[in-house]
Amino acid sequence: MSTGNINVSVENIFPLIKKFLYSDHEIFLRELISNATDATLKLKHLTSIGEAKVEYGNPQIEIIADKDANQLRIIDQGIGMSAEEVEKYINQIAFSGAEEFIEKYKDQEGEEAGIIGHFGLGFYSAFMVADKVEIITKSFKDEPAAHWTCDGSPQYTLEAHDKTERGTEIILHIAEDSTEFLEEGRIMELLTKYNKFMPIPIKFGTKTETLPLPEDAAEDAKPETVEVDRIVNNPNPAWTKAPADLEEKDYADFYREMYPMQFEQPLFHIHLNVDYPFNLTGILYFPKLSNDLNMQKDRIQLYQNQVFVTDNVEGIVPEFLTMLRGVIDSPDIPLNVSRSYLQADGAVKKISSYITRKVADKLKSLFKNDREAFEQKWNDIKIVIEYGMLSEDKFYDKAQEFALYPTVDGTYFTFEELKEKIKANQTDKDDKLVVLYASDQEAQHAYIETAKAKGYEVLLLDSPIVAHLIQKLESKFENTSFVRVDGDHIDNLIKKDDTTISKLSDEQKETLSGLLTEVIPQDKFSVQLEAMDSEANPFVITQPEFMRRMKEMQQTGGGMFGMGNMPEMYNLVVNTNHELIVQILETKTQKKKERLINQALDLAKLSQNLLKGEALTEFIKRSYDMIK
């Protein structure tokens, strides 16, 4: 037996380990199982090249919780260690790694302290939950087993042991404040979270299985049951296999395995598989997505060599794809550093660009191979594509081949197709292409019908980021403007050379303006007289495109500062060629004039869903009075 002191230069490192990583103390089990996995995979490699003259067999890692003894044990059948190797790897290398880690990050707070992963801390994370740790280990070489013990002080003991089977057993004497890690439910939670897809089978207890009855069994025969090892992980998840070896069912089954509470199947998947200039595998799934920008993100899981690290993949996966689901596994992502370092890392930027390109290529191939199916999925995936077009210029360029612009009639165009369809009819007198769109087909129905009566196409762009998107599209497409169909009366939206002559004289217009000013609230409406088609409505309420768009953009982040708090202001366009306007002018009594103006104004408000509360009640009462 030997005793010794671990060389400590960071003052009392064990309390520091526990305190520094307290919010993340559950990762100790992941670290110890990762070490056990590494030891097993090293043995596999050495046997495969003939350096280890032992039988590899079918090793597994076993977790045993003993509440009576207050112990949690992690047992592997891997490469094991001799006493000299324990001295080297536990007392020197592993500890110096833990010491360096603590020294570097112990004084940092906030963002910089948000360490991802903590890989490299390894074995000594055991002291976050244990006040004493033992290692019993036997090397695959013909050497005596060793027994190392440390109670969280710099002193340790190292002595021989009678263990005869190769591998390592870690015994954690769980501290009083960490007894939750002896509970079966808590351990299962951690194993499911961190080790669900580890490459070596992990046993945690046993389970009862019912054996199938033989074909010739009697009717009243009861099936036999048997106790079998409870293996808690899937060592060969779908993403570790070649795409050629998987069928659609395999991808669907894996999705259910990752998201057992998700009942809807994903729309399609993208299998990532690259080994140069970095290593990365994974599968991303496109779920059905709503227009809700606050939908749950963080559904993509990041792994390093099948070990779960985080489901906050910001900086690794482009922001617009964080609404997807799936898994990414890369040994090349540095995980023991702060998030700001990660986002600046060159390898990570390449990975992000690769994922963007791969997703764009998949979307393009889906569009080319089966456009009809792609169109049917458009409403479920458009929020991701539109977000990508806004935030990633490289994605925007690729998206021109598959981004769709649906009309209110359910026809889908790419922008080039749309341009070709409308350029003859929707180019104004200044040679600018005017793209009309609606954001709410029901609320803007009257305006849509007016535009369609002129032979115009009206797009249906109803996602919450549409104001930002069209701002970007206008900056990209030359001589093109997007105008919501209720932004003005139709002749002003697409101004042609032909102008309609007003039936009213200048004197009548002046009289009409005076009447309207007396009745219509000036703080809500800016009144403008227009000579329009006599069949057009007498009063049309519009909201200026620029003002409305800036308000919408600020509500979803962006736009001009202060616009979001501006009061609602509308234009009231009065059609001087409508017979009701002539009737108002010719009406004898002031009271009847006011009633006609209010009725026409309320009808215009009604078409814009602006008539509510007391005003709606008054309108209904007035309407009944007028038809008595």
Side-chain angles (χ1 to χ4, degrees), residues 454-467:
K454 292 258 186 188
Y456 297 152
E457 288 285 355
V458 181
L459 300 182
L460 180 60
L461 304 178
D462 58 359
S463 79
I465 55 173
V466 72

Side-chain angles (χ1 to χ4, degrees), residues 60-64 73-77 168-170:
Q60 62 182 21
I61 297 164
E62 184 172 10
I63 314 299
I64 299 173
R73 296 153 64 199
I74 297 97
I75 305 164
D76 70 60
Q77 297 155 13
T168 298
E169 176 176 355
I170 308 287

Side-chain angles (χ1 to χ4, degrees), residues 295-321:
M295 69 187 74
Q296 184 155 2
K297 298 184 181 182
D298 295 341
R299 291 292 186 90
I300 296 175
Q301 297 180 4
L302 178 66
Y303 287 76
Q304 188 195 64
N305 292 326
Q306 294 176 240
V307 183
F308 175 79
V309 178
T310 181
D311 53 13
N312 184 346
V313 293
E314 184 185 344
I316 301 163
V317 173
E319 170 72 14
F320 75 99
L321 293 177

Side-chain angles (χ1 to χ4, degrees), residues 80-82 86 135-139 144-147 163 165 167-169:
M81 290 182 284
S82 64
V86 170
I135 303 173
I136 301 170
T137 182
K138 178 168 173 56
S139 172
H147 183 190
K163 179 176 170 67
E165 296 176 353
T168 298
E169 176 176 355

